[in-house]
Amino acid sequence: MDGAAPAAAQHPHPYVPRDLNLPGYVPVLLSQSTIVGVYLGSSLLVASLIWLLSGGSPRRSTVDRLLMCWWAFTGLTHMILEGYFAFSPEFYKNPSGFYLAEVWKEYSKGDSRYAARDSAVVSVEGLTAVFEGPACILAVYAIATNKSYSYLLQFAISLGQLYGTAVYFVTAVLEGDNFATSQLHYYAYYVLANSFWVLIPTIISVRCWKKICAAVKFQAQNQKKAKSR
Amino acid sequence: MDGAAPAAAQHPHPYVPRDLNLPGYVPVLLSQSTIVGVYLGSSLLVASLIWLLSGGSPRRSTVDRLLMCWWAFTGLTHMILEGYFAFSPEFYKNPSGFYLAEVWKEYSKGDSRYAARDSAVVSVEGLTAVFEGPACILAVYAIATNKSYSYLLQFAISLGQLYGTAVYFVTAVLEGDNFATSQLHYYAYYVLANSFWVLIPTIISVRCWKKICAAVKFQAQNQKKAKSR
C-alpha cells in the first residue's frame, strides 16, 4: 500500500469521490471518539480556564466573559488545528498517529477537499490561521483590558469568519457537493461543525454593530450639543 | 470552430494554459481599447455625476464626496460587471458582441480562471456581486444622509473586498499562477486592476477604524464623566 499507485488502481482511502488519488495515504489510527473527545475536552479546558481567570473583575459582564471564552477557543482552533492543516500538505501520509494529522484525516471524511488540497479550502484555512487566529487572541486581550477597538475587532474577525465559511460552502456547491464518506459525516462534520462558525459570528457581528452605532450616535449628538451651547 | 472539440484537438482561444478546453468559444469582438475605454468612460461619468450631486451640502467634506464616488463606482462594478460574470457561465460562447461578455473574454487574458469557471473565482465574484455590490450603494446613501452606521458599513465592505482579493490571489498562487496570455495582460489586468481593490479598501478600513475607535473612546470617557458628577 505504499504510495505512487497508478491512477487506475484502487484507492485505499475512505474518502469520496472514490477516484481521488492519494498516494501514500496512511489510514487514520485514532478512533473517532478519541479525536473528537480530545478536541472537545481541550476546548472545554481552555474555556474553563478563561472563565475562571476573567472572573476577577466585578465590572466585567457575563457576556464579555463568555466572549473571551469563545475568542480563546476559536483563536486556538484557527492557529493550531487550521494552521497545521494549511501548512501540512501531506498530513494524510503521516504514519505516526500525530493528533493534528489524525484530526484532518478524520475530518476529510466529511469533506475530502481537505485531503485533496482544494485551493479554495487551503486559502481560506491559511487566511484564517494566519490573520484571524492571532486576531482572536488579541480580542481576548481587548475585552480583558476594555480597549476602544474591542467591538470593532470582534466585528472584523466575525465578518472574516462568515466570509471564509461562505467561500467554503459556495465552492463546495460549485464543485458538486460530493465530498463526504457518508451522510453521517456530511451532517456531523461538514454541516454541524461549521454551523457554529456561521451562527456565533452572526450573533457577535449584530451585537458589535449595535454597540458601535450607539457610540457613533452618542458622539454625534453630544458634539452637536457642545456646539449649540 | 463551433463547439464540442475533442479534448486532444487544438483550442482556438487565446488563453493560458493552452490545454484549457472551452468548446464553443467565440473570439472577443470588441477591441481592447473599446472595452477598457467604455469601462473607464462610464466609471468617470458615474463618478462625475456623484461628485456634482454631492456638492449641494456645504457641510459635506471633500473626503466624503470622494468616498461617495468610490462607493458608487465600485458598487456598480460589483453588481453589473461581476454580477454578470458570476451568473453567466457561458459568457465565452456569446457571439453577439454584448459588452459584458466581451469584458470577461478580454479579462480572461489576464486570468483564464474566469473562462475556466474556477470555483474560488466564481464564489468570490458571486459573494461580491450579491452582498458587497448593494452594500456599496447603501454606503453612498449612508454617507449622503450621515447615518450612524456609515463608517462601520464602509469598514465591513472594505474588509470583504480585501478578503475576496486575498482568496483570489492566494488560490491563483496555489493553482500555479499560470493563467495569463502574456506578461502585459498579467500585469495590466491581474496585478494592476486588482491592486486598486487592495489599496483603496486598506486606506478606507484604516480611516474607519480610527473614526470608530475615537467615537467609542468619546462615549466611554463622557459616560464616565457623567457618572462621576
Side-chain angles (χ1 to χ4, degrees):
Chain A
M1 245 195 239
D2 62 316
Q10 60 172 339
H11 298 283
H13 62 66
Y15 308 127
V16 168
R18 290 303 301 143
D19 61 356
L20 175 64
N21 191 16
L22 296 175
Y25 170 76
V26 175
V28 58
L29 299 167
L30 301 177
S31 71
Q32 183 189 36
S33 55
T34 305
I35 292 172
V36 176
V38 167
Y39 180 53
L40 293 183
S42 49
S43 300
L44 202 66
L45 190 73
V46 166
S48 310
L49 212 70
I50 297 286
W51 178 259
L52 288 173
L53 288 173
S54 65
S57 163
R59 280 186 54 216
R60 196 170 290 136
S61 70
T62 304
V63 173
D64 274 344
R65 290 175 68 192
L66 287 172
L67 283 169
M68 289 169 74
C69 294
W70 163 252
W71 290 121
F73 154 71
T74 190
L76 291 174
T77 298
H78 292 336
M79 286 195 293
I80 300 174
L81 262 76
E82 296 172 77
Y84 169 79
F85 165 74
F87 298 101
S88 306
E90 305 204 322
F91 72 86
Y92 62 83
K93 296 182 187 172
N94 191 308
S96 68
F98 177 55
Y99 179 71
L100 295 176
E102 297 293 296
V103 165
W104 294 112
K105 285 184 196 174
E106 179 65 26
Y107 183 82
S108 294
K109 293 179 187 167
D111 186 351
S112 68
R113 299 183 299 163
Y114 278 76
R117 213 82 201 143
D118 177 276
S119 68
V121 167
V122 174
S123 70
V124 165
E125 291 292 14
L127 292 168
T128 303
V130 171
F131 294 105
E132 290 170 32
C136 292
I137 306 305
L138 184 60
V140 178
Y141 167 80
I143 297 173
T145 54
N146 229 346
K147 293 288 181 205
S148 59
Y149 61 79
S150 173
Y151 292 129
L152 191 53
L153 179 64
Q154 293 179 67
F155 180 74
I157 309 169
S158 298
L159 281 195
Q161 291 173 323
L162 288 173
Y163 199 114
T165 318
V167 171
Y168 178 66
F169 283 125
V170 174
T171 49
V173 171
L174 290 172
E175 291 165 11
D177 196 17
N178 181 34
F179 305 107
T181 297
S182 72
Q183 287 277 317
L184 181 70
H185 289 109
Y186 183 84
Y187 286 108
Y189 296 170
Y190 177 72
V191 176
L192 181 67
N194 286 293
S195 69
F196 292 102
W197 279 270
V198 176
L199 192 68
I200 297 175
T202 302
I203 295 170
I204 294 177
S205 311
V206 171
R207 177 174 184 264
C208 292
W209 179 279
K210 287 181 185 164
K211 295 274 188 189
I212 291 169
C213 288
V216 172
K217 202 172 264 177
F218 180 90
Q219 186 193 35
Q221 285 169 343
N222 284 274
Q223 283 182 338
K224 212 180 280 172
K225 269 185 215 162
K227 272 183 195 162
S228 63
R229 260 175 217 155
Chain B
M1 244 196 240
D2 62 316
Q10 59 173 338
H11 298 285
H13 63 67
Y15 308 126
V16 168
R18 291 303 302 143
D19 63 355
L20 176 64
N21 190 17
L22 296 175
Y25 169 76
V26 174
V28 60
L29 299 167
L30 302 177
S31 71
Q32 184 189 36
S33 55
T34 305
I35 292 171
V36 175
V38 168
Y39 179 54
L40 293 184
S42 50
S43 300
L44 203 65
L45 191 73
V46 166
S48 310
L49 212 70
I50 298 285
W51 178 260
L52 288 174
L53 287 172
S54 65
S57 164
R59 282 186 52 215
R60 198 171 290 136
S61 70
T62 304
V63 173
D64 274 344
R65 289 175 68 193
L66 287 173
L67 283 170
M68 288 169 74
C69 295
W70 162 253
W71 289 120
F73 155 71
T74 190
L76 291 174
T77 298
H78 292 337
M79 285 195 292
I80 300 174
L81 263 76
E82 296 171 78
Y84 170 80
F85 165 75
F87 298 102
S88 306
E90 305 204 324
F91 72 86
Y92 62 84
K93 296 183 188 173
N94 191 308
S96 68
F98 177 55
Y99 179 71
L100 296 176
E102 296 293 296
V103 166
W104 293 111
K105 285 183 195 174
E106 180 65 24
Y107 183 83
S108 295
K109 292 178 188 167
D111 185 352
S112 68
R113 298 183 300 162
Y114 278 76
R117 211 85 201 139
D118 177 275
S119 68
V121 167
V122 175
S123 69
V124 166
E125 291 292 13
L127 292 168
T128 304
V130 171
F131 293 106
E132 290 170 32
C136 292
I137 305 306
L138 183 61
V140 178
Y141 167 79
I143 298 172
T145 54
N146 227 346
K147 294 286 181 207
S148 58
Y149 61 77
S150 174
Y151 292 129
L152 191 53
L153 179 64
Q154 294 179 68
F155 180 74
I157 309 169
S158 297
L159 281 195
Q161 291 173 324
L162 289 172
Y163 199 113
T165 318
V167 171
Y168 178 65
F169 283 125
V170 173
T171 48
V173 171
L174 290 172
E175 292 164 10
D177 197 16
N178 180 34
F179 305 107
T181 298
S182 73
Q183 288 276 316
L184 181 69
H185 289 108
Y186 183 84
Y187 287 107
Y189 297 170
Y190 177 72
V191 177
L192 181 67
N194 286 294
S195 68
F196 293 101
W197 278 271
V198 176
L199 192 68
I200 298 176
T202 302
I203 295 169
I204 294 178
S205 310
V206 171
R207 177 175 184 263
C208 293
W209 178 279
K210 286 181 186 165
K211 295 276 187 186
I212 291 170
C213 287
V216 172
K217 203 174 263 178
F218 180 89
Q219 187 193 33
Q221 285 169 343
N222 284 275
Q223 285 182 337
K224 212 180 279 172
K225 269 186 215 161
K227 273 182 194 162
S228 63
R229 262 175 214 154

